Amino acid sequence: MSEGKVPDTWWVTAMATIEPTTRREIVLPAPPYTVDDLLEFPDDGNRYELFNGSLLVSPAPTKLHQLALYQVQRILDAAAPPGLVLLSTVNLRVSVRDQYIPDFVVATEESLYTDSLVFSPEELLLAVEVVSPSTKKRDKILKADVYAAAGIPNYWRVELDEGPTLYAYELNSDRYDPPTAYKAGQVAHLTTPFPVSFDPADLDCPRR
């Protein structure tokens, strides 16, 4: 599938709305937006992504969301081979009018020096999204379609309200195969993007 060719279905349009914020009001230029427009937006506490020139906006992450991201980084950092970097909330440019912010990525070390602001899909080996109520449909459907069409080999979706449960996707041509689900209490033995094993329960509260 060519760059930016993700179907503009009704559920995507419905999600391209700005959620309320308690921070200062900002005045935005008229849509459609480009990635260059998006990079000029002021920081108002929301997370702005771009789908086909339309804004997808999420509020700041919750405490448990941030904890899960920390646990993902801790687990992957212990298993990652040399030559890779592990980063959270990076800019991922898919096309002129499509940019996303994965919660977490595994990227090539060389990608740190290609662009100071954004990553390209070919530089990523894994994208991870920790699902929150405001992004549930987006992470399950839109992000899976977008990341697959962009050629990202692996996508993990973490559903905190399911125990938590890890859904692991692997790329097959220009789409992901149906995900393998690993529930809390079940050790996930994963081989891509590199071998790592963990219990999804470890992504919730740290064991004491």
Side-chain angles (χ1 to χ4, degrees), residues 147-165:
Y147 293 161
I152 298 174
N154 299 276
Y155 172 45
W156 293 357
R157 191 179 93 246
V158 178
E159 296 276 359
L160 293 178
D161 61 357
E162 295 182 16
T165 297

Side-chain angles (χ1 to χ4, degrees), residues 39-128:
L39 294 175
E40 295 296 324
F41 280 18
D43 181 7
D44 67 346
N46 289 317
R47 184 165 73 175
Y48 291 88
E49 299 175 290
L50 203 58
F51 170 77
N52 196 26
S54 297
L55 288 179
L56 304 174
V57 188
S58 303
T62 65
K63 296 175 183 177
L64 290 179
H65 187 282
Q66 291 175 315
L67 174 62
L69 283 180
Y70 166 75
Q71 298 291 61
V72 168
Q73 181 161 1
R74 180 184 62 82
I75 290 167
L76 291 180
D77 187 57
L84 300 179
V85 292
L86 291 73
L87 301 169
S88 61
T89 56
V90 303
N91 295 311
L92 171 64
R93 185 199 301 259
V94 176
S95 74
V96 172
R97 291 188 176 182
D98 295 88
Q99 177 165 298
Y100 304 93
I101 306 178
D103 282 328
F104 193 83
V105 300
V106 174
T108 62
E109 196 172 75
E110 292 81 1
S111 66
L112 294 176
Y113 309 102
T114 56
D115 189 301
S116 62
L117 292 178
V118 299
F119 284 84
S120 299
E122 63 270 15
E123 296 173 328
L124 303 188
L125 304 181
L126 169 68
V128 180

Side-chain angles (χ1 to χ4, degrees), residues 64-65 67-69 71-72 74-75 128-132 136 156-168 180-188 198-207:
L64 290 179
H65 187 282
L67 174 62
L69 283 180
Q71 298 291 61
V72 168
R74 180 184 62 82
I75 290 167
V128 180
E129 299 287 358
V130 176
V131 176
S132 59
K136 193 174 184 69
W156 293 357
R157 191 179 93 246
V158 178
E159 296 276 359
L160 293 178
D161 61 357
E162 295 182 16
T165 297
L166 169 68
Y167 291 87
T180 301
Y182 301 93
K183 298 187 176 297
Q186 173 188 4
V187 176
F198 63 95
D199 184 339
D202 294 337
L203 303 181
D204 199 352
C205 291
R207 296 179 178 179

